[in-house]
Each structure stands twice: as structure tokens, then as C-alpha cells.
Amino acid sequence: MTTYLLLLAEVTSAAESLSDQLQVHGFISQAVLHTTENQWLGDSAHTSFAFTEIGVNSSLRLTPRLLFSGQILSRRAGELSNGTPTIDFALADFNLVSSTHNQVGIRAGRFKNPLGLYNETRDVPFTRSGIFLPQVIYFDKVRNLALSSDGLLFYNDFYLENGNISFSLGGGWPLVDTNVENAYLFRNFSGQLQADNPGWLASFWYSNQSERFKLGLSAMTVDMQFNPNVNALPFTTPGAGHVDLLYLVASVQYNTEQWSFTAEYSREPIEWRQFGQLFPDYKANAEGYYLQTTYRFHPQWEWLLRYEEGFANRADRHGNDLEQISHGFIKKEMGFSKIFSTGLRWNINSQWMLRAEYQLHNGCFILSPRENPDFSQLERNWSLFTLQIGFRF
């Protein structure tokens, strides 16, 4: 009996210790959107409620050097996502070296790609700078491609007297879905676009000790191949071609107690090859940048102001060549986007948040062909009004 009681005490103690190491959090948000023209996350021209986010994440530290973490996400976003729960990330973090001067580790599994300032936290409404991140850098139309990878990521953090330096290098299979095919092939052909090889990722970050100033460079490569349906009608589907791209982001941010100033610049060399006569070989150099400021004028209130520009090809900033090469199938307005955004955030309490945002658009580069399949109906000048409420626990 005594042995049984001792064993029960040990099991109870272990369970309590394990529960102390387990953390569970979550969030839910709902938005209502209206556009004056075009479609953005649902039938927004007639007001859309089709933007809902529900996430539950957890982390368990089994030992001081081993951490498991993951998140299940349900995201309903117009035609881009139907809300089916998916594994947002799920990884094991092995801490190999930990000292006062540096930290070295490896993440294995599905990890968030360390791209730019916001990609690793873009799914949590409370951590975004606005209801929507700058779309010329963080495209929602190809969100999953940039969001995460299945593979390994090595990281090394240095803690110096003059600041902190972080470096990461990894490789993994990117997540290619129908949205990616629509964005890079401009429609959903009979066949499947998928990753042909693992992609490489790298990032380098510097921040001063107070983390008021941040400076970073990040990059990823993607190699995709289109496999046409063998039963597709001739001359209606491209051949087994490739889409290769290199995505580069340069980031800088400065924070004070009330102000944050942020700027990011992206360059994306893209090559389409071996698709056949229906889709001739083509090279482009996509480009995007934004300038953003946020002002925390009250402990519960924050104001956002942002300007961004993006181009499908920096050598064709008005989209004229794009329209000519596609024989008018792709309108020139799809070659660029210039966006002015402003918004307010009200932190009602530690759990509830309410946001309002207005965007004025010139161009359609950020729009998804999946939600706007009839290119002839696209309008160059349009506006977006959005309200969002969020809850977290």
C-alpha cells in the first residue's frame, strides 16, 4: 500500500510538472468588408463577411532543451480558403547551445518561414500591424507559399554588448496550393502545380539591446513544376513547365514608446520556362515596398498610416508589356498596385480588440485571379472598407 501511494504521488507530481510546462492559447476574429469595385475575400462588392480566423496553439517544454509547439488554424477567406482546419505549424525545437552570449538550435517539422518582420506571426490578428499586412510584401493571394515549410531550420542568436544578431538557415518543402497556381499561371489549368524541389531559406537580423531598432535581410527560393492532366484537351493546357523564384526582403523598424516606423522592400526574380507555345518562356522581376507608421496616442488606441507599391515586373511598372505579351488576356492594371491605408485599433481590454481600416487602391496587382477570374471586369481604381473584431485567450 505504501509503495502504491508513493508511485501515485510521483505520477501526480510528474503530471503537475508537465502541466506547468504546457501552454495553450487561442484567438478568433471576424471581419466585414466592402469594396467599391473588384472582389476581395468574398463578394465584397456587395459586402462580405467571409473573413474569419480561428486558431489554437500550444507549446510543451519537455526538457530545458526540447520544446514542442504547434497551431491549428481555421481560416475562411473568400474563395482563397474555406475554413477547413489545417496545421499552421508543428515543430520540435532542439536547443543545442544556450549561454549568456549565444543560443544555437534546430527546428524540425512544419515551421514558419522567417521572412520579413511579420511572416512568422501573420496569422494572429493581434500581432499584425493592420487588419491586413502590406499586400505587396505579404501576399494573401499566395499566402501558404510564403507562410511555412516542411523541413529543418538552423538558428543561431548572438547577444553582444552593442546589440543582438540572429541568423537562420534552412530548407524545406513549400506549401503549393490552388491559390499559388492561379497567381503564377493566371488561372487554374487542368493539372497540378507543385513543389519540384525543397526550397532554401535564410535570414539575418540585427537589433540593439532595447530592440527599438531592427534591421534584417531574409530570402527563400521556390522551384515549382506544373504537371498537366493527361486527359486535357490539346492547346488548352500548358506543358510540364517550371516556375522558379527567389524571394528577397529587406526590413527596418524603429520603435519609441508611442511611435513605430517601419519600411520593407522586396525583390522577386521569377522565371517561367518549358510550358510550350501556350505559355512562352518569360522572366520578370517583381518588386514591392511600403512605408508605415503607427502612433499609440492612448494606452488603448493606435493609429495606422501606410503607403505601398508593388509591381509584377519592375521593368514594366505600368503593365503595358504584360498586356501585350498576353495578347490582352491579362489587363495592364494587374501589373501594379499603389495603396494608401489608414486605420484605428481599439484595445478594449487584454482580450478584445476592435479595428477599422480604409484602403485606397490604384491597380490590381494584389488581387487573386481566383476571386476575380474575369479580368475584363477589373477596375483600376477601387476602395476597401473593413471592420474587424478579435478575441484571444
Side-chain angles (χ1 to χ4, degrees), residues 337-367:
S337 277
K338 301 176 182 180
I339 310 168
F340 168 81
S341 303
T342 187
L344 283 174
R345 170 174 172 168
W346 177 27
N347 296 312
I348 303 172
N349 54 41
S350 61
Q351 291 183 297
W352 288 93
M353 171 194 69
L354 183 64
R355 267 180 163 150
E357 195 165 305
Y358 168 74
Q359 295 184 355
L360 180 63
H361 290 251
N362 178 9
C364 304
F365 174 49
I366 68 149
L367 294 176

Side-chain angles (χ1 to χ4, degrees), residues 278-310:
L278 185 65
F279 207 113
D281 289 1
Y282 182 67
K283 291 183 179 181
N285 204 338
E287 181 182 57
Y289 74 90
Y290 73 89
L291 304 172
Q292 173 184 284
T293 183
T294 54
Y295 176 42
R296 295 169 287 277
F297 58 90
H298 184 275
Q300 293 177 282
W301 288 89
E302 183 177 293
W303 170 64
L304 165 74
L305 184 66
R306 180 169 66 221
Y307 180 74
E308 56 191 296
E309 290 189 354

Side-chain angles (χ1 to χ4, degrees), residues 31 42 63 75 111 120 132 166 170 175 185 203 207-208 211 240 266 284 312 352 369 384:
T63 72
R75 187 174 188 267
F111 55 84
E120 293 176 283
F132 304 107
S166 298
L175 307 182
L185 300 185
S203 69
S207 64
N208 61 1
E211 293 197 351
S266 71
W352 288 93
L384 168 65

Side-chain angles (χ1 to χ4, degrees), residues 73 86-89 110-115 118-123 142-149 175 201 220:
L73 181 69
T86 59
I87 298 175
D88 199 35
F89 67 91
R110 176 167 294 179
F111 55 84
K112 291 290 189 71
N113 296 330
L115 289 172
Y118 298 112
N119 194 62
E120 293 176 283
T121 59
R122 66 186 293 175
D123 285 329
V142 291
R143 168 187 168 276
N144 286 346
L145 184 68
L147 180 68
S148 53
S149 300
L175 307 182
L201 301 112
M220 71 176 293

Side-chain angles (χ1 to χ4, degrees), residues 118 121-130 133 345 355 392:
Y118 298 112
T121 59
R122 66 186 293 175
D123 285 329
V124 182
F126 291 82
T127 61
R128 294 196 291 260
S129 56
L133 289 175
R345 170 174 172 168
R355 267 180 163 150
R392 62 182 171 184

Side-chain angles (χ1 to χ4, degrees), residues 216-259:
L217 293 171
S218 47
M220 71 176 293
T221 65
V222 177
D223 178 10
M224 297 177 286
Q225 180 175 359
F226 178 72
N227 297 309
N229 191 323
V230 294
N231 297 319
L233 295 175
F235 308 110
T236 62
T237 301
H242 291 260
V243 181
D244 303 325
L245 62 92
L246 169 64
Y247 191 59
L248 302 163
V249 183
S251 313
V252 62
Q253 186 176 72
Y254 181 74
N255 300 295
T256 69
E257 184 177 348
Q258 290 185 294
W259 293 87

Side-chain angles (χ1 to χ4, degrees), residues 6 30 68 75 128 157 159 176 191 195 214 246 266 290 326 386:
L6 289 174
Q30 176 63 53
F68 290 96
R75 187 174 188 267
R128 294 196 291 260
D157 302 330
Y159 311 117
V176 181
K214 296 180 181 180
L246 169 64
S266 71
Y290 73 89
S326 66
T386 312

